[in-house]
Amino acid sequence: MTSLPGGASAERSHVEESRRAKRDAIEALGILPFAYRFERSHTALEALALYDDRMGEDGPLVAVAGRIAALRSQGKTGFAHLEDSSGRIQVYFRRDALGALWELVQLLDLDDHVGVSGRLFRTRTGEVTVRAEAVTLLAKSLRPLPRGKTQVAEDGVQTFGGLADPEVRYRQRYADLAVHPEVREVFRLRARAIAWLRAFLDARGYLEVETPILQPLYGGAAARPFVTHHNALDMPLYLRIADELYLKRLLVGGLERVYEIGHDFRNEGMDRTHNPEFTMLELYEAYSDYEGMMQLCEEMVGGVVEACCGSRRIERDGTTLDFTAPWPRVRFVEGIRERAGVDVRTADEADLRRLLVRRGVSADEAATFAGGKLQDEMFKAFLEPELVQPTFLVDYPVALSPLAKRHRDDATLTERFELFVGGKELVNAFSELNDPDEQRRRFEDQAQQRAAGNEEAQLYDADYIRALEYGMPPAGGLGMGIDRLLMVITGLPSIRDVILFPAMRPES
RNA sequence: GGGGGCGUAGCUCAGCUGGUAGAGCAAGGGACUUUUAAUCCCUAGGUCGUGGGUUCGAGUCCCACCGCCCUCACCA
């Protein structure tokens, strides 16, 4: 990093120096390098659609605005491509048509924001173009964007070279977005998906709510929290790791269908599928159960995939993911038993560890697994990699699910499912435990695990128990990782590709 | 945190077994009134991630550190 923002001139590149010199020259012409406003008549795409070849050299008058994405000076004329959020349009500058403004055109750089008005025509080479009659500088770019050369082809814009370093792309997302229209498209798609989910739930009578992000007790998931401090109350507060316990309090209060879309914060490792803050959709529906949630899931996830990808069958990594309902269900205990030959609820723990070691887990590690953790490791080793097609993994052991209702037919299990797509967990849902005394016992069990060193065991939440004592209707609830959903929808390999500003170590 | 890889001009990259840096694009000057990866001529631009070490000599070899990527672990 030789040139830092606002650094001394000695630290700036010659490119930046030259742009600042042009900025000064523009000011000397009495022109503002950073304008206040521009009334554009059409976006690039709208303007292009306006032209008809019968109009010849004198098409309609348009005023377009955008960033200069290509600039070709040619003596007393020049061509530029303006890029706005709709696309690109070419602009043709002529000295004899611009008069005094020609001086300004000479001082334009790639990446400047400009507004151009003029008539549309088609060039010899066939491109619909604005013949500039007036040019307004809207914002001088003092730092060149890391863009490559581009070629406008019939099937889109082809780039040669350009910003490729993933570090710069994530740290300077503004630059990444500015030079990569396809990245802008990812985040449009993200917004479309979230809007679709809201519309879907609103149409089903769900109420969108907001619950605390700063919580005196964190719960609803197993994870280490971020801790902060409230000065006025002089007490620690935790950034939520889940919305669950607050949303279920609302069921007690008579809000029968609620959902929340917001960030959860988990103080854990970061990798391709984990960012410390991520977007979660949680929803709860009174008088439903996990069966109801599976149906809802098929409609909702299948629907959003279809809305974003145009089909419920999408091609990912050479396989077709088929979101057409119904989706297969695999029972947690039976699924493992079919592959490992043991019942994880009743098998001797030493035998389970031996199976894990035979499966490739290191002996030292396996020795540390016990209880619910051991069962989960068995799942990861024997079952998870097979869950590529949308699949419900159902009926988890009780030890793994302290907030889920016991299975109606088998007291060792809970009515819980997770949806897996591409081998990754996308949704977690259950029939919500609404017996306050059993919930109390589950919390006490978690407290014991905590005392035994499990940092992620859930905290005893007395206020939540009090709420349940008032009576919570039976309900189904569901949580879905929005970022991971977007990874499925876009086919992008890293959660950082679908989060605008992913967490990064600080620079310098 | 373990293992592997990478870090050279604004951007994309070369740089063989050590002999103190190259290209294309971008930039500056010039030519060019329908070009589109415009073209042609000329010019400038780099403490090779940081700090040590080995060596007569380090972009290159060694060590440490910083950052990123991949992978494993953690994340039910």
Side-chain angles (χ1 to χ4, degrees):
Chain A
M1 302 292 126
T2 52
S3 59
L4 299 165
S9 63
E11 293 172 346
R12 290 196 194 111
S13 71
H14 59 287
V15 182
E16 291 165 67
E17 287 300 343
S18 123
R19 290 185 173 212
R20 285 186 144 76
K22 287 184 189 170
R23 185 265 318 269
D24 295 343
I26 288 164
E27 282 179 328
L29 290 173
I31 295 172
L32 282 177
F34 299 96
Y36 284 89
R37 182 168 180 153
F38 183 78
E39 296 292 340
R40 80 172 158 189
S41 65
H42 301 84
T43 65
L45 205 65
E46 289 166 351
L48 289 173
L50 230 50
Y51 185 76
D52 185 291
D53 278 315
R54 284 167 298 186
M55 297 166 176
E57 289 286 298
D58 275 306
L61 189 63
V62 296
V64 294
R67 202 192 266 280
I68 299 178
L71 192 56
R72 295 177 293 280
S73 162
Q74 214 179 308
K76 298 179 188 65
T77 66
F79 289 90
H81 272 97
L82 291 197
E83 188 173 281
D84 67 16
S85 67
S86 74
R88 296 179 163 221
I89 189 165
Q90 183 169 254
V91 175
Y92 178 45
F93 300 110
R94 291 173 66 99
R95 188 168 77 169
D96 56 11
L98 285 164
L101 281 172
W102 180 250
E103 290 223 49
L104 171 62
V105 170
Q106 299 298 99
L107 294 166
L108 293 178
D109 283 304
L110 214 52
D111 308 324
D112 288 349
H113 289 272
V114 297
V116 172
S117 58
R119 294 197 173 275
L120 293 170
F121 74 109
R122 190 182 290 279
T123 64
R124 258 181 224 162
T125 47
E127 183 164 355
V128 174
T129 299
V130 182
R131 192 189 310 101
E133 293 169 16
V135 184
T136 311
L137 179 57
L138 302 177
K140 189 73 191 154
S141 165
L142 299 178
R143 177 186 293 268
L145 281 168
R147 58 164 88 242
K149 279 193 92 87
T150 53
Q151 179 181 27
V152 183
E154 281 171 19
D155 53 345
V157 177
Q158 199 184 350
T159 305
F160 303 85
L163 179 57
D165 183 346
E167 179 175 355
V168 177
R169 291 189 48 213
Y170 298 142
R171 284 195 194 281
Q172 300 185 36
R173 183 68 89 185
Y174 39 89
D176 184 35
L177 288 162
V179 303
H180 292 135
E182 68 275 22
V183 175
R184 299 201 288 271
E185 197 49 45
V186 167
F187 292 99
R188 288 203 188 94
L189 196 59
R190 182 179 172 120
R192 199 185 312 157
I194 292 171
W196 189 95
L197 292 168
R198 281 206 164 90
F200 174 88
L201 292 169
D202 293 346
R204 276 162 183 73
Y206 280 81
L207 185 70
E208 181 170 14
V209 297
E210 294 172 89
T211 63
I213 292 171
L214 291 173
Q215 303 181 345
L217 281 177
Y218 57 94
R224 281 144 66 197
F226 287 92
V227 189
T228 186
H229 184 262
H230 191 295
N231 289 337
L233 297 177
D234 189 24
M235 62 178 287
L237 283 174
Y238 304 93
L239 275 68
R240 70 177 173 206
I241 59 173
D243 310 356
E244 174 153 356
L245 299 183
Y246 280 96
L247 291 173
K248 287 198 282 196
R249 282 171 168 98
L250 299 179
L251 296 179
V252 173
L255 302 181
E256 294 180 351
R257 297 181 175 196
V258 292
Y259 75 97
E260 180 165 14
I261 296 174
H263 279 202
D264 288 346
F265 305 83
R266 297 185 184 176
N267 206 340
E268 311 275 4
M270 295 154 59
D271 63 26
R272 205 173 55 242
T273 57
H274 296 84
N275 197 64
E277 64 179 300
F278 58 99
T279 304
M280 180 76 102
L281 162 65
E282 284 196 33
L283 63 89
Y284 294 85
E285 179 175 329
Y287 314 122
S288 187
D289 62 3
Y290 81 144
E291 277 289 341
M293 289 298 106
M294 278 188 261
Q295 280 177 29
L296 183 85
C297 208
E298 286 170 341
E299 290 176 41
M300 183 172 73
V301 176
V304 72
V305 165
E306 184 168 4
C308 292
C309 305
S311 167
R312 292 195 187 218
R313 296 164 58 87
I314 59 177
E315 201 69 30
R316 291 291 175 265
D317 303 322
T319 59
T320 301
L321 300 180
D322 189 351
F323 289 85
T324 310
W327 300 339
R329 300 179 183 191
V330 176
R331 294 162 77 195
F332 188 97
V333 173
E334 277 68 30
I336 296 172
R337 183 160 54 203
E338 282 165 16
R339 289 159 183 82
V342 289
D343 185 323
V344 291
R345 292 167 301 180
T346 54
D348 187 74
E349 292 203 341
D351 290 336
L352 296 181
R353 290 194 198 96
R354 267 192 290 280
L355 284 165
L356 285 173
V357 171
R358 212 175 300 158
R359 197 76 175 180
V361 178
S362 86
D364 290 347
E365 257 193 275
T368 67
F369 301 150
K373 173 75 186 159
L374 185 57
Q375 296 174 342
D376 193 48
E377 288 298 326
M378 287 295 292
F379 158 68
K380 283 186 182 171
F382 287 93
L383 203 45
E384 187 175 37
E386 294 181 29
L387 306 180
V388 174
Q389 289 298 326
T391 305
F392 292 120
L393 185 68
V394 303
D395 300 346
Y396 281 60
V398 174
L400 282 170
S401 315
L403 300 166
K405 205 168 197 167
R406 222 170 265 275
H407 197 284
R408 60 198 79 184
D409 299 327
D410 185 339
T412 66
L413 301 175
T414 53
E415 296 198 353
R416 171 186 175 188
F417 73 85
E418 290 193 345
L419 170 66
F420 284 80
V421 178
K424 288 289 169 198
E425 174 195 347
L426 201 60
V427 169
N428 182 25
F430 24 91
S431 299
E432 302 297 337
L433 175 55
N434 60 342
D435 175 340
D437 286 342
E438 179 164 6
Q439 184 65 74
R440 184 183 286 113
R441 288 192 292 275
R442 301 268 193 102
F443 275 149
E444 283 163 355
D445 176 58
Q446 291 285 308
Q448 278 186 0
Q449 287 191 34
R450 207 175 174 76
N454 180 356
E455 266 190 273
E456 286 164 356
Q458 305 219 10
L459 300 176
Y460 190 101
D461 189 334
D463 178 72
Y464 179 65
I465 297 292
R466 177 170 65 187
L468 291 187
E469 285 170 347
Y470 282 119
M472 184 178 96
L478 173 161
M480 176 164 71
I482 296 291
D483 311 286
R484 289 187 184 176
L485 172 70
L486 262 293
M487 289 170 68
V488 171
I489 287 173
T490 59
L492 290 168
S494 171
I495 199 166
R496 290 181 156 176
D497 294 323
V498 298
I499 292 175
L500 278 167
F501 297 99
M504 299 285 280
R505 277 200 176 77
E507 282 180 89
S508 76

